[in-house]
């Protein structure tokens, strides 16, 4: 019998059986279900994921499956999402902002440089770091699955939604997850759902140019809130909410782009409290969680894991850890906002192609996936150190003020008076591509910067050569 049809039959059996259990009561173990129905553990896992996505059961790694309801193993408050009704209906009264689409800041990292140019401007892993064989094998296996080319559920495959929910943690369940086509699409959906045209939206400063482009294209007014090495600054955030009446903050709490900052443990609850008091949402762009370096240590959980009240709309993506063409991500939320997100997602894209979702399940469930993540962690850490060392020797005046423990770039502050555009142009003439700092600011930048990536180059030797070329361009610009 095909695995999927077996899973469908088991789901039908368990739907009736679950009703005989008390709320929060534990279901039979996976091993017991395997023995009772004479099916594989994978089939049981898929069936339980379906039931979890339907809201009938909850699963806890290492503990088992339980009928959905109060969990005796946790003391987590249910939360109150009723505040969202006001936040979602309170239109801004500011003048409408002209909608403009400026993709220049995005194209800097998307456009392939000419042959022979060292790619210090790239935003994706070099092909040698991508799990190409594992992705190809996963896609081949997925394509042979019965029903793989059929129409998927509009919210996404239940098993994939459950996988993302487990990664978020806390009280997030598959019922609160939507599968989307990459992080850029998810951010677009979230901003359209949460802010009407003309409204202010608070953004970190500096921040990801692609998000600024989304906001401006939607007619929103980005308002900067400065960040430091501990993330967005709470006092300035509170001032910005009071001054603008904004209902949305967009932030990257983990390995922020471009600074690499991580929101500190002390600031995490403060940021959520400030947003909650303002009746505002926090869009959490968790884009590089799977690109931590080997020496990083334990990662903080997503903000969404500590948010029972539905303040956080979480965006999680697999693209950065795989390939620019592996565009699978998730939107996660609690409360009434989920329906608005779902409606916009359906209108814009209908659904993510099923073969890609099936391939994602094959990939993240294979032994190759953790091996790939470990290998990337080691390699990115080594590249960061080579970049740091090379810059320190060749260009001590523009070394990075912060050394991130994850992600793929360094954020370099240039000496006052430096023409960053001239430096970028001169670097390209010497055979190395950089990303200028100006597009990362939505207002006047406090100083000149460049962003320099170490993920898109071929190897450590190319980093050394790229810095040598950059030094030549720097010396030429100062002469």
């Amino acid at each position: 019998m095909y695995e999927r049809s077996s899973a469908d039959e088991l789901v039908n059996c368990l739907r009736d059986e679950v009703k005989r259990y008390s709320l929060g009561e534990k279901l039979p173990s996976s091993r017991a279900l395997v023995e009772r129905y004479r099916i594989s553990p994978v089939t049981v896992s898929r069936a339980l994921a379906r039931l979890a996505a339907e809201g009938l059961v909850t699963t806890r790694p290492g503990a088992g499956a339980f009928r959905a309801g109060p969990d005796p193993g946790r003391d987590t408050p249910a939360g109150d999402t009723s505040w969202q009704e006001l936040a979602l209906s309170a239109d801004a009264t500011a003048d409408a902002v002209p909608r403009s689409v400026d993709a220049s800041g995005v194209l800097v990292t998307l456009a392939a440089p000419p042959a022979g140019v060292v790619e210090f401007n790239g935003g994706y892993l070099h092909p040698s770091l991508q799990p190409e064989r594992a992705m190809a094998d996963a896609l081949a296996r997925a394509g042979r699955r019965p029903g793989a080319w059929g129409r998927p559920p509009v919210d996404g495959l239940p098993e994939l939604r459950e996988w993302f929910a487990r990664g978020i943690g806390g009280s997030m369940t598959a019922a609160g997850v939507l599968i989307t086509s990459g992080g850029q699409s998810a951010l677009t959906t979230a901003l359209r759902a949460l802010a009407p045209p003309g409204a202010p939206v608070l953004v970190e400063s500096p921040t990801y140019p692609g998000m600024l482009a989304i906001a401006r294209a939607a007619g929103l007014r980005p308002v900067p809130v400065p960040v430091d090495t501990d993330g967005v600054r709470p006092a300035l955030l509170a001032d910005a909410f009071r001054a603008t009446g904004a209902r949305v903050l967009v932030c990257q709490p983990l390995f922020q782009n471009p600074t690499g900052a991580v929101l500190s443990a002390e600031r995490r609850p403060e940021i959520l409290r400030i947003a909650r008091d303002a009746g505002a949402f926090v869009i959490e762009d968790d884009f590089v969680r799977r690109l931590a370096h080997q020496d990083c240590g334990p990662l903080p959980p997503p903000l969404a894991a500590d948010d029972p009240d539905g303040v956080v709309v979480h965006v999680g993506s697999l693209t950065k850890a795989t390939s620019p063409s592996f565009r699978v991500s998730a939107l996660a939320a609690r409360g009434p906002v989920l329906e608005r997100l779902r409606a916009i997602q359906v209108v814009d894209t209908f659904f993510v192609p099923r073969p890609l979702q099936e391939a994602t399940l094959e990939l993240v469930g294979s032994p190759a996936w953790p091996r790939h993540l470990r290998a990337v962690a080691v390699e990115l850490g080594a590249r960061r150190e080579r970049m740091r060392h090379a810059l320190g020797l060749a260009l001590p005046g523009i070394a990075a003020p912060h050394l991130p423990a994850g992600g793929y770039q360094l954020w370099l502050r240039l000496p006052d008076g430096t023409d960053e555009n001239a430096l970028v142009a001169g670097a390209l003439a010497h055979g190395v591509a950089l990303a200028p700092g100006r597009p990362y600011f939505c207002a006047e930048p406090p100083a000149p910067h460049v962003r320099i990536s170490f993920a898109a180059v071929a190897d450590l030797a190319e980093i050394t050569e790229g810095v040598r070329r950059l030094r030549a361009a720097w010396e030429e610009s100062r002469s």
Side-chain angles (χ1 to χ4, degrees):
M1 183 179 295
Y2 287 125
E3 179 182 296
R4 182 167 297 279
S5 61
S6 298
D8 292 340
E9 291 178 7
L10 182 57
V11 166
N12 292 331
C13 292
L14 292 181
R15 279 200 190 102
D16 295 330
E17 183 173 339
V18 164
K19 297 175 183 178
R20 299 198 296 269
Y21 289 82
S22 303
L23 296 180
E25 185 177 354
K26 185 176 181 180
L27 275 64
S29 68
S30 295
R31 178 177 297 179
L33 293 174
V34 166
E35 295 175 355
R36 183 196 304 177
Y37 292 98
R38 299 184 181 278
I39 50 180
S40 73
V42 173
T43 300
V44 172
S45 178
R46 292 176 69 92
L48 290 176
R50 288 265 302 277
L51 293 172
E54 294 174 9
L56 297 177
V57 304
T58 57
T59 58
R60 298 207 311 270
F66 302 78
R67 181 174 177 184
D71 185 345
R74 290 180 183 170
D75 188 21
T76 302
D80 176 16
T81 63
S82 60
W83 65 273
Q84 293 183 6
E85 297 182 33
L86 176 61
L88 291 170
S89 61
D91 291 343
T93 58
D95 294 337
V97 176
R99 299 189 182 205
S100 60
V101 181
D102 180 6
S104 58
V106 182
L107 290 174
V108 167
T109 60
L110 289 181
V117 173
V118 177
E119 192 173 354
F120 278 172
N121 63 328
Y124 298 102
L125 297 178
H126 187 269
S128 64
L129 295 181
Q130 296 173 17
E132 289 187 343
R133 176 63 182 273
M135 290 188 295
D137 291 345
L139 191 59
R141 293 193 300 270
R144 294 192 295 267
R145 284 183 173 185
W149 296 90
R151 182 176 59 197
V154 293
D155 289 356
L157 295 181
E159 302 92 334
L160 187 55
R161 293 162 60 204
E162 173 68 17
W163 185 84
F164 274 108
R166 288 198 303 271
I168 296 170
S171 59
M172 182 59 66
T173 68
V177 175
L178 308 174
I179 303 302
T180 64
S181 295
Q184 189 78 355
S185 173
L187 287 172
T188 301
T189 296
L191 279 172
R192 285 182 58 199
L194 301 179
V201 55
L202 305 188
V203 300
E204 294 173 316
S205 182
T207 193
Y208 166 52
M211 188 277 299
L212 295 178
I214 293 170
R216 290 172 176 139
L220 305 178
R221 294 187 292 115
V223 177
V225 182
V227 301
D228 57 24
T229 55
D230 289 326
V232 66
R233 298 168 60 182
L236 296 179
L237 177 64
D239 290 344
F241 274 125
R242 284 192 295 268
T244 65
R247 300 284 180 160
V248 179
L249 163 69
V250 185
C251 70
Q252 295 175 328
L254 188 65
F255 309 135
Q256 196 255 3
N257 183 13
T259 67
V262 175
L263 187 63
S264 67
E266 294 75 21
R267 290 185 183 181
R268 288 169 58 92
E270 197 171 0
I271 297 304
L272 293 179
R273 177 190 60 78
I274 291 169
R276 178 67 180 86
D277 290 347
F281 290 92
V282 174
I283 299 176
E284 176 185 28
D285 183 10
D286 199 21
F287 71 115
V288 284
R289 177 164 294 272
R290 295 166 184 88
L291 292 187
H293 301 167
Q294 187 180 31
D295 59 356
C296 176
L299 294 178
L303 285 180
D306 299 326
D307 168 43
D309 295 332
V311 172
V312 178
V313 173
H314 175 89
V315 176
S317 175
L318 289 175
T319 303
K320 292 296 186 184
T322 53
S323 157
S325 291
F326 205 92
R327 307 204 61 76
V328 176
S329 63
L331 266 173
R334 299 176 176 89
V337 69
L338 186 63
E339 290 304 314
R340 186 176 293 187
L341 293 167
R342 177 183 289 113
I344 293 175
Q345 160 83 356
V346 171
V347 168
D348 282 353
T349 62
F350 289 178
F351 45 75
V352 176
R354 184 165 195 149
L356 188 55
Q357 294 190 57
E358 298 279 7
T360 304
L361 284 170
E362 290 283 354
L363 176 64
V364 300
S366 70
W369 179 242
R371 289 200 302 268
H372 164 67
L373 295 182
R374 288 193 297 269
V376 168
V378 171
E379 181 65 19
L380 289 182
R383 290 175 175 220
R384 180 203 66 197
E385 287 303 300
R386 175 63 64 89
M387 182 79 79
R388 177 190 65 80
H389 180 71
L391 287 170
L393 291 177
L395 296 163
I398 60 172
H402 173 65
L403 196 66
Y408 52 86
Q409 80 279 337
L410 298 181
W411 181 239
L412 307 184
R413 187 197 189 284
L414 305 177
D416 291 340
T418 301
D419 185 336
E420 68 182 47
N421 288 327
L423 176 61
V424 169
L428 187 59
H430 281 268
V432 59
L434 306 175
R438 182 63 184 89
Y440 292 82
F441 295 93
C442 67
E444 291 77 13
H449 294 80
V450 292
R451 196 194 76 163
I452 183 167
S453 169
F454 45 81
V457 296
D459 50 31
L460 297 177
E462 193 167 33
I463 291 176
T464 302
E465 172 61 18
V467 172
R468 186 194 66 78
R469 298 180 186 183
L470 179 57
R471 178 178 179 173
W474 173 253
E475 291 177 343
E476 183 176 284
S477 71
R478 309 298 286 183
S479 61

